Amino acid sequence: MLCGGEALPPDLARRLVAQAGEVWNLYGPTETTVWSARHRLDAADARPALGRPIGNTTLYVLDHDLNVAPVGVAGELYIGGAGLARGYWRRGALTAERFMPDPFGLPGARLYRTGDVARWGEDGVLEYVGRADHQVKIRGFRIELGEIEARLAAQAGVGAAVVVAREAGTGRQLVGYVSGEALDAAALKAALAASLPDYMVPARIVVLERLPLTPNGKIDRKALPPPDRLAASAEHIAPRTPAEAALATIWAELLGQPVIGVTDNFFELGGDSIISLQMVSRARRQGVLIEPRDVFQHQTIEALAALSRDNDVAEDRSEPAHDVLAELSDDQLERLGLDPSCIEDVYPLSPMQQGMLFHSLRDADSG
């Protein structure tokens, strides 16, 4: 049995192997005459691989500078060989964008840029990761959504999975959508948390009866329903004290959530290190005296309000020095290497220190 045209779900692959015995996963875009790689599936495969190139075909996994990516490192997949099309009919600009000279081949050889992200395994088998246009940046980290989708799809009972980045508050959050049999969103999230870094774990996993499809049978990401509320606690508990009410109002404004309970988790609702600085700044102006590190250690309104050292509203309280961090962007904080959870306070430079910094930067190459 030959399978192609769309990424093969792991559970379907296992069923086909059990029923048909010999099943091949075939990969290749139309621009390379449909098939460029093949892999015989095994029931033990966690996820169907793309395999190895067919005859007269070359496969390269390259980074953004067109360097060959090391084994195990994801990069964009380029295809060369006898199967390449000449280009797109009467679309010269698109042809120039997708077809390029082969820097590793003979003079006149060309490569096709697939837009797919893949990586080579230690066994020489090519693994599909996702689409290059499905890369997102969350909390300063560049993420391949296909990596997360693969982990979700490999979980027991999951028939199909897709992960998207949605706006949440002033940032973006990952949301996973799955369909299958007897699925538990909390268990799936826990499984991902055990094998992925926290910034790659979706804030919420939504279980659907079936994922929406386009007319040609591909998952329609634009038709995925927005989650009604990101990871709110099961039982809503309204604010009971002035401090809790002040924090709930601040959270609602910063996180874009109309209803906030005192046991809801700040980070699961869409908060991150940058928003936490803004939240602390606003809270202190409202008389709720908390520190950035408190948000990481006590992630609910209930816990933060209990930590507050003064619940009385302060009208003319001056902003603490560390509020300046709230004005920095994700990229600026990333370049500075700052971990907001470890910051005690921030102080401005004295005139002498400013002068020393100025001369140090101006004469950086003087030795």
Side-chain angles (χ1 to χ4, degrees), residues 3-297:
C3 300
E6 181 68 8
L8 189 60
D11 67 327
L12 176 58
R14 287 189 287 268
R15 293 202 306 268
L16 291 176
V17 171
Q19 295 175 12
E22 184 175 350
V23 180
W24 290 81
N25 189 33
L26 301 171
Y27 165 83
T30 303
E31 291 85 349
T32 63
T33 322
V34 184
W35 291 347
S36 301
R38 79 283 185 268
H39 179 69
R40 181 172 179 175
L41 301 180
D42 187 281
D45 291 339
R47 187 187 188 197
L50 301 184
R52 295 179 171 85
I54 64 173
N56 299 315
T57 299
T58 54
L59 304 177
Y60 296 102
V61 177
L62 307 179
D63 63 17
H64 294 294
D65 297 319
L66 300 183
N67 298 311
V68 175
V71 171
V73 176
E76 188 166 355
L77 178 60
Y78 290 75
I79 301 176
L84 262 66
R86 294 182 179 179
Y88 299 102
W89 176 249
R90 294 182 177 177
R91 301 185 68 182
L94 183 59
T95 297
E97 177 186 342
R98 307 307 299 183
F99 292 85
M100 55 172 283
D102 182 353
F104 313 104
L106 298 174
R110 297 180 306 144
L111 294 177
Y112 171 68
R113 182 181 182 182
T114 66
D116 289 330
V117 178
R119 63 180 165 224
W120 290 107
E122 294 287 351
D123 55 359
V125 172
L126 189 65
E127 303 170 359
Y128 178 74
V129 174
R131 288 287 302 168
D133 50 8
H134 290 165
Q135 291 182 337
V136 298
K137 196 170 186 180
I138 301 290
R139 291 159 52 185
F141 297 95
R142 189 170 299 280
I143 297 172
E144 300 280 359
L145 295 180
E147 292 265 15
I148 311 172
E149 292 170 351
R151 298 297 179 96
L152 267 178
Q155 302 303 314
V158 175
V162 65
V163 177
V164 299
R166 290 191 177 278
E167 299 301 321
T170 59
R172 306 176 81 191
Q173 283 279 292
L174 297 176
V175 180
Y177 294 84
V178 295
S179 63
E181 300 178 359
L183 298 178
D184 180 81
L188 291 173
K189 185 174 179 180
L192 292 184
S195 60
L196 292 173
D198 64 330
Y199 60 85
M200 292 182 68
V201 178
R204 181 170 181 185
I205 295 178
V206 180
V207 178
L208 301 176
E209 183 177 349
R210 63 178 61 87
L211 299 185
L213 302 177
T214 63
N216 60 2
K218 297 180 182 291
I219 294 176
D220 189 350
R221 293 171 179 262
K222 295 181 180 179
L224 291 167
D228 52 356
R229 188 161 174 244
L230 287 177
S233 59
E235 180 183 1
H236 173 74
I237 302 177
R240 298 153 298 191
T241 67
E244 290 180 351
L247 287 174
T249 299
I250 295 169
W251 284 28
E253 294 173 352
L254 290 177
L255 302 177
Q257 300 285 352
V259 180
I260 300 290
V262 298
T263 57
D264 292 344
N265 185 288
F266 176 76
F267 294 99
E268 291 182 352
L269 287 175
D272 57 30
S273 58
I274 306 301
I275 299 177
S276 73
L277 292 173
Q278 298 171 340
M279 187 265 287
V280 168
S281 174
R282 295 191 187 188
R284 292 178 68 88
R285 288 199 294 268
Q286 292 293 318
V288 182
L289 303 186
I290 55 177
E291 302 293 337
R293 63 179 181 274
D294 295 334
V295 184
F296 290 83
Q297 298 169 358

